[in-house]
Amino acid sequence: MKRFSFSSIMLWAGLVFIYLPMVILVIYSFNASRLVTVWGGWSVKWYVGLLDNTQLMNSVMRSLEIACYTAIAAVALGTLAAFVLTRITRFKGRTLFGGLVTAPLVMPEVITGLSLLLLFVLMAQLIGWPAQRGMTTIWIAHTTFCSAYVAVVVSSRLRELDMSIEEAAMDLGAKPWKVFFLITVPMIAPSLAAGAMMSFALSLDDLVLASFVSGPGSTTLPMEIFSAVRLGVKPEINAVASLILLAVSFATFLAWFFAHRAEEKRKKALQQAMDETTSPSWQQVVDSRRGASSN
């Protein structure tokens, strides 16, 4: 009988600790009882009832919209910041700039949220914008927070790249912006995708920042759930959470599927190239070239 090693036991214990609550959440989303702690049989009425709960569904759509905008803006700003930190090695204030980029990672969200709230209030008094806090202010706050994560992820990838490829392209006459978009961006595409998914998840999950910079009519899903939990967990919340888990699992599967297919194509192309180099016809071409060069 095969014995489990200590690492295998800890791995399975960690997986159970992480995913067992999610499994229980999905099971209780089909609970027929209104009391989430009492099992009353199987039912899908809470999923059907989501169509009538306009307040909860509006908060879900609002959170998804803000998360999409945040992912796009955070990837753009974080990539530019990472490019400056890795490619421009010497400029005045580089240390300060690097500290400001990574500051949101170590700063408590309460301080960040309060600072942004005071900033928006001061801007409204001085220039009249924003007239009221809402989705725009939440988007700005989330972008500020998530850009730091993207900058760290992308900068680590940029440091691993071989700059000789970019230098060769510029030696052949390519403009710097063309080198960036046609050579650098494709090589750092996995880190950009990781930063975008991380930003989307962080924005969708955020409660503290949104609580400070939101206004009337701009309640996000975490804020809606937090306000409802104080009065008792509603079964509709379990249904919404289960749908979000399903969507995230499907997106993760698609990302794995396309990455796996791309890796298989790369392996096949590499194997085909190796087979061509070892084929008799290729060896004859090599031998003929060697003979011509010797003559």
Side-chain angles (χ1 to χ4, degrees), residues 275-287:
D275 293 340
E276 291 178 354
T277 56
T278 56
S279 61
S281 59
W282 178 262
Q283 291 295 332
Q284 291 177 1
V285 172
V286 174
D287 294 338

Side-chain angles (χ1 to χ4, degrees), residues 61-205:
M61 299 306 298
R62 193 176 298 114
S63 294
L64 292 176
E65 185 178 359
I66 294 174
C68 290
Y69 294 155
T70 300
I72 297 173
V75 167
L77 295 178
T79 302
L80 293 177
F83 191 82
V84 171
L85 291 174
T86 55
R87 291 294 187 266
I88 305 177
T89 56
R90 292 183 181 180
F91 63 90
K92 189 175 182 180
R94 185 182 185 280
T95 303
L96 177 62
F97 178 75
L100 293 176
V101 169
T102 57
L105 297 175
V106 296
M107 188 177 299
E109 291 189 44
V110 175
I111 298 177
T112 304
L114 181 58
S115 302
L116 290 172
L117 173 62
L118 297 176
L119 174 63
F120 292 141
V121 171
L122 181 61
M123 291 176 59
Q125 294 175 353
L126 294 178
I127 62 176
W129 184 89
Q132 60 180 3
R133 295 184 297 275
M135 289 183 58
T136 303
T137 54
I138 298 175
W139 168 61
I140 295 174
H142 286 182
T143 302
T144 304
F145 177 69
C146 297
S147 296
Y149 289 89
V150 177
V152 172
V153 174
V154 176
S155 61
S156 63
R157 175 58 179 165
L158 284 172
R159 291 189 180 95
E160 297 176 355
L161 294 182
D162 187 6
M163 293 185 61
S164 61
I165 302 177
E166 301 175 4
E167 294 173 353
M170 287 188 285
D171 290 340
L172 293 174
K175 300 294 184 181
W177 64 267
K178 195 171 184 178
V179 173
F180 177 76
F181 284 106
L182 298 182
I183 296 179
T184 307
V185 171
M187 289 192 296
I188 63 173
S191 61
L192 296 180
M197 289 188 291
M198 184 183 300
S199 300
F200 184 89
L202 290 173
S203 176
L204 190 64
D205 181 65

Side-chain angles (χ1 to χ4, degrees), residues 5 10 22 27 29 35 50 53-54 66 70 83 104 115 133 137 140 157 172 184 201 226 242 251 258 281:
S5 62
M10 295 305 297
M22 299 182 187
I27 293 175
S29 67
L35 300 176
L50 288 177
N53 195 337
T54 57
I66 294 174
T70 300
F83 191 82
S115 302
R133 295 184 297 275
T137 54
I140 295 174
R157 175 58 179 165
L172 293 174
T184 307
F226 181 74
S242 299
F258 287 114
S281 59

